[in-house]
Amino acid sequence: MRKYLHHQLFTGAEFDGRLTLLNKLLVAIILLAVFTAVLSTEAELHDKWHYELLVAEAVFGAIFLAEYLARIYAAAENPGPEGDWVKRWRFIRSPLGLIDLAVVIASLLPLFVSHSSVLRTIRLLRVIAVMKFGRFSRALGEVWGAVKDRGDDLLVTLVLAGMLLLFGATALYLTEGDIQPEQFGSIPRALWWAVITLTTVGYGDAFPITPLGKVFASFVALSGIALVAMPTGIIAAAFSEAMQRRRDQRIEEMRAHLERLDQVDEAVEAKIAALQRTSNPKP
C-alpha cells in the first residue's frame, strides 16, 4: 500500500508521461474546490446555500488532510539510506510538503475563522505542484528555458518600457500639470496614466486635453503597441527553438537506439552461429 501511494502521489506520472489516476482526481477536486470558494463569495449564493457550501468545504478539507497524511506516510518510500521518519520529516520541510500544509490550513481555517475564504485560492498551488510531474514538467521546463535563453532580450525590452513610461509621465507633467493637477500634477501621478496607456488599456480616467499633450500621448500609445508585442515575439521565437532542439534530440535518441538494436542483432546472430557450430561439429 505504501509503495502504491508513493507511486500515485510522489512519482505522479506513468511510464508514458501521463499523470496517475489519483493525481488526475486531485486536480479535478482542487479545481472544484476553488470554484466552490469563488461561488461562496457571492452574498446571494452564500445566504441561499450556506449549509451546502459549508459541508462542501468540510469535505474538501477532509480530502486534502487525508492526502497530506498519505503523503507523509508514503514519503518513507523515497530513495535514500535514511530512516522512515527522517524521510518523512524531509518531505514535511520540502516545498511540496509546505504547499500541502498551506492547502490543508487554507481549507480548514475558513470553517473556524470568518472572512478568511480568500485563503482557499491557495489550493491552486497544488495544481502547480501536481503539474511538475510527467509531461507537464517537461513543458514547463521548456517554457522556463525559453525565457532564460532570451533573458537579455527581455531585459532590454523592460528597460525600454521603463524609459518610455518615465518619458511619457514627464512629458504630460510638463504639458498638463498646471491644467490638470489631479491627474498630472506630479510625475508619480502621471505615471498611472503612462502605465495604462503604454499597456493599451486606457481607462479614460486621465487623458490630455492640450494639443501638445495629445501628441505625446499618441507617441506613448503607439510605442506601447510595439513594446507589448516585442516580448511576445521574443518568447515565441525562443519556444520554437526549444521545440526544434527537443525534436532533434528525439531524432538522435532514436538513431542511437536503432544502432544499439543493430549491435544486439549482430551479437545474437554471432551467438546463434557459434551454438550451431558447437551443436553440429564437423566430422
Side-chain angles (χ1 to χ4, degrees), residues 3-24 26-27 71 78 96 126 129-137:
K3 290 182 179 179
Y4 175 78
L5 287 176
H6 183 269
H7 170 71
Q8 290 287 327
L9 295 174
F10 281 87
T11 306
E14 302 292 0
F15 296 108
D16 58 357
R18 298 179 181 273
L19 291 177
T20 59
L21 177 61
L22 188 55
N23 270 318
K24 290 179 180 178
L26 286 174
V27 170
R71 286 183 182 273
N78 288 335
L96 182 59
R126 281 295 292 118
V130 172
M131 286 177 62
K132 79 171 192 170
F133 297 126
R135 294 179 296 180
F136 297 106
S137 174

Side-chain angles (χ1 to χ4, degrees):
M1 175 61 70
R2 197 169 72 179
K3 290 182 179 179
Y4 175 78
L5 287 176
H6 183 269
H7 170 71
Q8 290 287 327
L9 295 174
F10 281 87
T11 306
E14 302 292 0
F15 296 108
D16 58 357
R18 298 179 181 273
L19 291 177
T20 59
L21 177 61
L22 188 55
N23 270 318
K24 290 179 180 178
L25 290 176
L26 286 174
V27 170
I29 292 172
I30 292 168
L31 295 178
L32 182 60
V34 172
F35 179 71
T36 304
V38 171
L39 292 180
S40 66
T41 59
E42 175 58 44
E44 294 183 3
L45 293 176
H46 186 272
D47 295 338
K48 184 178 180 180
W49 304 95
H50 176 71
Y51 177 76
E52 288 79 3
L53 291 172
L54 193 63
V55 171
E57 288 297 331
V59 171
F60 291 138
I63 292 175
F64 295 136
L65 178 60
E67 180 209 358
Y68 180 60
L69 295 177
R71 286 183 182 273
I72 294 176
Y73 170 70
E77 293 293 328
N78 288 335
E82 300 88 353
D84 293 350
W85 285 104
V86 174
K87 295 178 182 178
R88 287 166 178 160
W89 177 241
R90 180 184 298 171
F91 162 72
I92 293 173
R93 294 179 298 160
S94 67
L96 182 59
L98 294 176
I99 289 176
D100 282 345
L101 180 60
V103 169
V104 172
I105 294 175
S107 300
L108 297 177
L109 190 61
L111 299 177
F112 307 100
V113 180
S114 60
H115 304 296
S116 58
S117 60
V118 68
L119 295 176
R120 296 174 180 133
T121 56
I122 296 177
R123 293 168 181 157
L124 289 174
L125 294 176
R126 281 295 292 118
V127 177
I128 299 175
V130 172
M131 286 177 62
K132 79 171 192 170
F133 297 126
R135 294 179 296 180
F136 297 106
S137 174
R138 292 191 292 271
L140 291 175
E142 288 162 359
V143 172
W144 176 242
V147 174
K148 288 179 63 178
D149 290 342
R150 293 294 186 272
D152 294 339
D153 299 336
L154 294 174
L155 181 60
V156 170
T157 304
L158 183 62
V159 171
L160 289 175
M163 294 173 59
L164 185 58
L165 284 175
L166 187 58
F167 167 79
T170 303
L172 268 294
Y173 163 70
L174 295 175
T175 56
E176 302 275 339
D178 295 334
I179 302 173
Q180 301 186 74
E182 290 296 326
Q183 287 78 18
F184 304 104
S186 66
I187 293 179
R189 292 185 184 183
L191 273 174
W192 163 249
W193 168 86
V195 169
I196 62 173
T197 302
L198 186 65
T199 54
T200 68
V201 177
Y203 289 140
D205 57 340
F207 54 89
I209 58 177
T210 63
L212 186 58
K214 292 180 179 180
V215 170
F216 287 126
S218 301
F219 173 77
V220 173
L222 293 174
S223 301
I225 296 174
L227 283 177
V228 169
M230 283 176 61
T232 305
I234 291 172
I235 295 176
F239 191 71
S240 177
E241 293 177 2
M243 293 296 98
Q244 184 61 45
R245 287 196 299 268
R246 183 180 176 185
R247 286 191 290 268
D248 294 341
Q249 182 180 0
R250 284 183 175 180
I251 293 173
E252 293 298 327
E253 291 175 353
M254 292 177 65
R255 288 176 177 173
H257 181 66
L258 291 175
E259 291 177 359
R260 288 194 297 268
L261 289 178
D262 292 339
Q263 294 174 359
V264 171
D265 291 341
E266 292 175 358
V268 171
E269 291 176 357
K271 288 183 179 180
I272 292 174
L275 289 173
Q276 289 176 344
R277 286 194 299 270
T278 55
S279 61
N280 300 308
K282 293 182 180 180

